[in-house]
Amino acid sequence: MNQYLISIYQPDGPTPEPEILEPIMRDVEAVNAELREAGAWVFAGGLFPPSTSTVLRLKDSEVLTTDGPYVEGKEHLGGFTVIRAADLDEALAWGEKVARAITLPVEVRPLQHGACQ
């Protein structure tokens, strides 16, 4: 069984109001429950805002540490789910369910074999 990363792209800005966010999170949890029931769930997590990130970069044999995201943008990686799927078509079907639930763009990408063992 292959593993796939479903990345959730979140727009920069404030967190949506509860009346918007709560139904979305219920839908996301329903998809997560379906993933678990199907045996496709590996793990998932939400991320704090990009302003909390620290970038480590090798330059001339020294590692430089800087605050903030690696690149500036209008959206950022807001969360992710790692799943098991037989093939890309199955992973894309799960990705579509996540996109419908979260109402944000998602990316589905295979993990390299042996990466999560």
Side-chain angles (χ1 to χ4, degrees):
M1 190 72 65
N2 299 311
Q3 292 184 339
Y4 293 84
L5 174 69
I6 300 174
S7 304
I8 299 164
Y9 292 106
Q10 182 173 330
D12 288 341
T15 302
E17 295 297 322
E19 62 270 9
I20 294 171
L21 190 58
E22 287 172 5
I24 290 171
M25 295 314 296
R26 277 194 303 272
D27 290 346
V28 168
E29 188 47 46
V31 173
N32 289 343
E34 187 178 351
L35 280 162
R36 287 183 191 100
E37 289 170 17
W41 175 269
V42 177
F43 67 94
L47 299 172
F48 283 103
S51 61
T52 65
S53 67
T54 303
V55 177
L56 305 171
R57 181 179 293 120
L58 180 65
K59 182 172 177 153
D60 300 326
S61 75
E62 302 240 359
V63 177
L64 304 176
T65 304
T66 55
D67 292 335
Y70 176 69
V71 294
E72 294 294 324
K74 294 182 180 179
E75 60 185 19
H76 59 274
L77 181 63
F80 62 91
T81 301
V82 177
I83 63 167
R84 288 183 199 90
D87 54 30
L88 180 60
D89 289 337
E90 184 179 329
L92 290 173
W94 285 117
E96 181 177 332
K97 289 182 180 199
V98 171
R100 288 181 184 281
I102 199 81
T103 70
L104 295 170
V106 304
E107 174 186 314
V108 176
R109 187 186 303 188
L111 293 174
Q112 294 181 6
H113 293 288
C116 291
Q117 308 236 357

